[in-house]
């Protein structure tokens, strides 16, 4: 049975895996350990690169990086999830000189330099990475890795960059080094998250507000259904959706779809072809749903946001067309089982769905999802609960 049913992943465990791995690889103790969480986006999908609003929270599953100083200018990276160890001189790190998983940490080193870090005057480091964020689940394991490394190097090298800038560093690494045309959502969530809270982020101004969620207090939890349907944002649908949004903004004569409002939609429908119009309608209505979710949470509490989560999923399924049958089934089954609300989360085309559920319903909804997947002949999903947790930090 792949249901875990509980959360409470022990952050200390990831930290010790990073420190112990460091000791084993490099034969000495690290000078420090930093960690950063994966994320769930509660609502606000594909709005980030349209200068819109998002509302994610940090996961209780983290990626930790143990760091040790060196006396030369070499950066060496290793991890618990790959036998590969990569050593490269600071001068030689470029978007083209790194590949594989090490592109994430080394991409961050390169991106820090693009934001003003003077790498000619720092000493190299040894890094060892350990992670409990599932890879390929749409829970931003890559942003967790980038954010942990960015914060570690920022503090170790005394660069003085603030967290919103470190989020841009991670995004640049992802865009230029890894090659995925993604927005600022994932890294912002990983760096700005707080326990029991969501990060309400304006992706245009990068102003953010931490909004208490009070899920546990209200007897609620978030169930994640990892469908194990693979997605890759460096190729395919994600970039196509981004291009449609840009095309829609151009045709409507605005800088970005952030500048289109609900009452502009009738005019937009007259100007755009049907497909582009539906892409635009998703972004415009999704931005409004983020604002409504934050307001509803503040005024009426988490039980009242369900319809907004459900509407967000319908919009992604029907207008933005980024869902897949497995995600739709997870959402429909959770809704039928009494979830407050449910939606796919992240970039789409696979990955995970989330359901906001009464704690007492977790076992029944988990069983129902597993049974529905089996009946449909889908691969067995992994179902687990998550707790909104603190963003990137130094742990030791
Ligand atoms: C992925 C990207 C984010 C964002 C989401 C969709 O997670 O990395 O930048 O665009 O998809 O909301």
């Amino acid at each position: 049975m792949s249901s875990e049913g509980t959360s409470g992943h022990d952050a200390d465990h990831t930290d010790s895996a990073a420190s112990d791995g460091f000791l084993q690889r490099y034969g000495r103790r690290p000078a420090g350990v930093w960690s950063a969480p994966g994320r769930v986006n509660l609502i606000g999908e594909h709005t980030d690169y349209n200068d819109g609003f998002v509302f994610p929270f940090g996961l209780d599953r983290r990626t930790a990086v143990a760091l040790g100083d060196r006396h030369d200018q070499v950066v060496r990276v290793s991890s618990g999830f790959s036998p590969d160890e990569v050593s490269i001189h600071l001068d030689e790190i470029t978007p083209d000189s790194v590949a594989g998983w090490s592109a994430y940490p080394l991409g961050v080193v390169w991106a820090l330099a693009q934001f003003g870090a003077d790498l000619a005057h720092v000493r190299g480091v040894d890094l060892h990475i350990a992670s409990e964020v599932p890879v390929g689940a749409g829970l931003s394991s890559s942003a967790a890795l980038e954010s942990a490394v960015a914060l570690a190097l920022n503090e170790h090298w005394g660069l003085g960059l603030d967290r919103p800038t470190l989020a841009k560093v991670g995004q640049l690494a992802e865009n230029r080094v890894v090659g995925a045309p993604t927005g600022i959502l994932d890294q912002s969530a990983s760096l700005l998250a707080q326990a029991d809270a969501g990060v309400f982020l304006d992706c245009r101004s990068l102003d953010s507000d931490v909004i208490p969620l009070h899920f546990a207090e209200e007897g609620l939890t978030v169930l994640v259904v990892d469908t194990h349907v693979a997605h890759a944002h460096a190729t395919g649908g994600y970039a196509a959706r981004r291009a449609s949004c840009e095309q829609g903004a151009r045709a409507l004569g605005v800088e970005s779809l952030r500048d289109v409002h609900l009452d502009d939609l009738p005019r937009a429908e007259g100007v755009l072809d049907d497909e582009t119009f539906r892409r635009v309608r998703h972004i415009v209505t999704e931005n409004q749903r983020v604002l409504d979710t934050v307001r509803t949470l503040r005024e009426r509490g988490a039980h009242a946001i369900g319809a907004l989560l459900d509407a967000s999923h319908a919009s992604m399924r029907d207008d933005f067309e980024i869902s897949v049958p497995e995600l739709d089934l997870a959402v429909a089954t959770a809704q039928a089982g009494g979830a407050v609300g449910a939606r796919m989360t992240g970039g789409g085309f696979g990955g995970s769905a989330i359901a906001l559920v009464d704690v007492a319903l977790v076992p029944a909804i988990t069983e129902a999802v597993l049974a529905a997947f089996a009946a449909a002949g889908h691969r067995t999903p992994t179902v687990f609960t998550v707790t909104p947790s603190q963003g990137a930090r130094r742990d030791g």
Side-chain angles (χ1 to χ4, degrees):
M1 169 99 28
S2 51
S3 147
E4 294 175 20
T6 55
S7 66
H9 271 253
D10 190 354
D12 290 348
H13 179 261
T14 323
D15 288 342
S16 16
S19 309
D20 295 350
F22 187 98
L23 179 62
Q24 250 166 36
R25 288 276 183 156
Y26 305 131
R28 65 190 201 282
R29 299 207 164 277
V33 180
W34 286 258
S35 72
R39 64 98 188 94
V40 150
N41 194 16
L42 194 56
I43 195 160
E45 228 65 83
H46 286 256
T47 44
D48 61 350
Y49 57 78
N50 287 295
D51 281 351
F53 302 105
V54 293
F55 190 37
F57 63 80
L59 288 187
D60 50 339
R61 292 175 178 231
R62 307 180 71 85
T63 296
V65 55
L67 176 153
D69 214 355
R70 293 178 63 100
H71 297 292
D72 54 17
Q73 283 217 300
V74 167
V75 175
R76 184 163 55 156
V77 289
S78 63
S79 73
F81 45 81
S82 162
D84 301 341
E85 184 177 304
V86 176
S87 283
I88 184 165
H89 194 278
L90 276 167
D91 279 355
E92 287 165 5
I93 302 176
T94 68
D96 300 322
S97 67
V98 298
W101 76 267
S102 70
Y104 293 92
L106 297 174
V108 166
V109 174
W110 172 82
L112 284 168
Q114 313 313 303
F115 280 86
D118 180 3
L119 300 188
H121 293 100
V122 297
R123 282 196 303 210
V125 287
D126 286 335
L127 303 175
H128 184 80
I129 292 151
S131 183
E132 286 197 341
V133 185
V135 173
L139 302 175
S140 292
S141 57
S142 55
L145 174 44
E146 289 153 3
S147 301
V149 170
L151 188 70
L153 293 175
N154 186 53
E155 292 187 4
H156 180 71
W157 284 337
L159 303 176
L161 300 175
D162 62 12
R163 284 175 185 246
T165 306
L166 293 178
K168 290 189 198 167
V169 165
Q171 184 195 10
L172 185 64
E174 187 91 27
N175 292 169
R176 287 289 310 282
V177 184
V178 180
T182 48
I184 196 75
L185 163 67
D186 307 335
Q187 295 80 7
S188 299
S190 186
L191 282 151
L192 302 175
Q194 295 287 333
D196 194 25
V199 179
F200 172 40
L201 176 72
D202 177 337
C203 299
R204 172 168 270 171
S205 65
L206 295 189
D207 287 343
S208 62
D209 219 348
V210 169
I211 313 282
L213 294 169
H214 299 307
F215 288 161
E217 226 171 273
E218 290 204 42
L220 296 173
T221 189
V222 175
L223 200 60
V224 173
V225 179
D226 175 4
T227 63
H228 299 296
V229 176
H231 66 288
H233 296 328
T235 50
Y238 185 96
R241 293 303 178 279
R242 190 168 178 152
S244 289
C245 291
E246 284 161 7
Q247 186 196 325
R250 261 194 315 276
L252 294 171
V254 291
E255 190 191 321
S256 74
L257 294 183
R258 162 69 174 275
D259 302 314
V260 182
H261 301 283
L262 287 179
D263 49 14
D264 297 323
L265 285 177
R267 181 180 76 88
E269 191 166 15
V271 174
L272 304 171
D273 64 83
D274 174 62
E275 185 182 286
T276 310
F277 172 66
R278 287 183 295 110
R279 305 296 187 246
V280 168
R281 182 165 61 187
H282 166 71
I283 300 301
V284 173
T285 56
E286 185 80 346
N287 273 330
Q288 187 60 47
R289 281 186 290 270
V290 176
L291 299 175
D292 291 347
T293 299
V294 170
R295 183 174 39 76
T296 305
L297 255 180
R298 280 179 165 142
E299 291 173 1
R300 295 166 53 211
H303 275 94
I305 67 170
L308 291 160
L309 303 182
D310 294 345
S312 172
H313 185 76
S315 178
M316 290 188 282
R317 182 192 59 210
D318 303 335
D319 273 356
F320 218 58
E321 296 180 285
I322 54 171
S323 191
V324 294
E326 289 84 346
L327 290 167
D328 291 340
L329 184 62
V331 166
T333 308
Q335 287 165 339
V340 169
R343 61 190 289 281
M344 52 148 281
T345 187
F349 307 102
S352 295
I354 55 166
L356 183 62
V357 302
D358 201 296
V359 173
L361 290 178
V362 167
I365 293 181
T366 303
E367 288 310 315
V369 168
L370 293 172
F373 272 59
H378 296 321
R379 194 168 157 196
T380 308
T382 305
V383 188
F384 53 97
T385 58
V386 291
T387 307
S389 299
Q390 203 194 324
R393 63 177 182 228
R394 181 169 187 163
D395 287 323

